[in-house]
Amino acid sequence: MVAVPKGALTKREKVREFALTLPGAVEEFPWGETVVKVNKKIFVFLGVDDGSCPPGVGVKLKDQAIHAHAMSSPGAEPSGYGLGKAGWVQIPLAEKGAPSAELLCDWVEESYRTIATKKLVAELDAR
């Protein structure tokens, strides 16, 4: 078991709840990991919640400035399995100075906009 600050789990839950409010978003559990998808494509990785790994969030950020900002977070790194080459960033939540839940939600929305169809993005913009 990994000791995790309560605030990190609270952030993870806020990010999860926000992601599930986006048009067409569904939660799935491939590989024992929590992900949120739109159109059968993942737009946010939320990791495992069994305490075996520190909590983190993985998002796809195409905008260079936003990507650079995310990469400047304590402990942030390009996502594994070659996903980092496509703009995916893994952001740990238990690190001192980790991004706020609000900023993480902004990045989740950015990731969603990269993955979702134009119709779903228009639906989001119409809210």
Side-chain angles (χ1 to χ4, degrees):
M1 285 298 254
V2 175
V4 177
K6 186 176 187 290
L9 296 176
T10 303
K11 280 184 197 179
R12 181 186 182 274
E13 188 55 28
K14 284 181 180 177
V15 168
R16 179 186 160 274
E17 288 172 4
F18 171 76
L20 290 171
T21 67
L22 298 171
V26 294
E27 184 175 44
E28 293 187 8
F29 306 93
W31 324 287
E33 184 171 344
T34 302
V35 301
V36 184
K37 295 181 173 184
V38 63
N39 297 334
K40 300 181 181 172
K41 293 181 179 179
I42 296 170
F43 69 92
V44 62
F45 288 92
L46 294 167
V48 296
D49 58 4
D50 62 6
S52 63
C53 297
V57 172
V59 288
K60 184 173 186 173
L61 302 171
K62 287 280 201 180
D63 181 281
Q64 288 185 341
I66 296 171
H67 187 272
H69 187 204
M71 287 296 292
S72 72
S73 300
E77 60 185 16
S79 297
Y81 304 105
L83 293 172
K85 293 177 185 168
W88 285 90
V89 180
Q90 187 65 30
I91 304 138
L93 301 180
E95 298 282 330
K96 183 174 172 57
S100 67
E102 293 73 22
L103 182 55
L104 290 164
C105 289
D106 287 348
W107 292 342
V108 166
E109 183 176 328
E110 182 68 24
S111 186
Y112 173 87
R113 290 174 179 280
T114 301
I115 305 294
T117 62
K118 287 179 182 165
K119 181 181 176 189
L120 288 171
V121 169
E123 188 179 324
L124 175 61
D125 289 340
R127 286 185 179 179

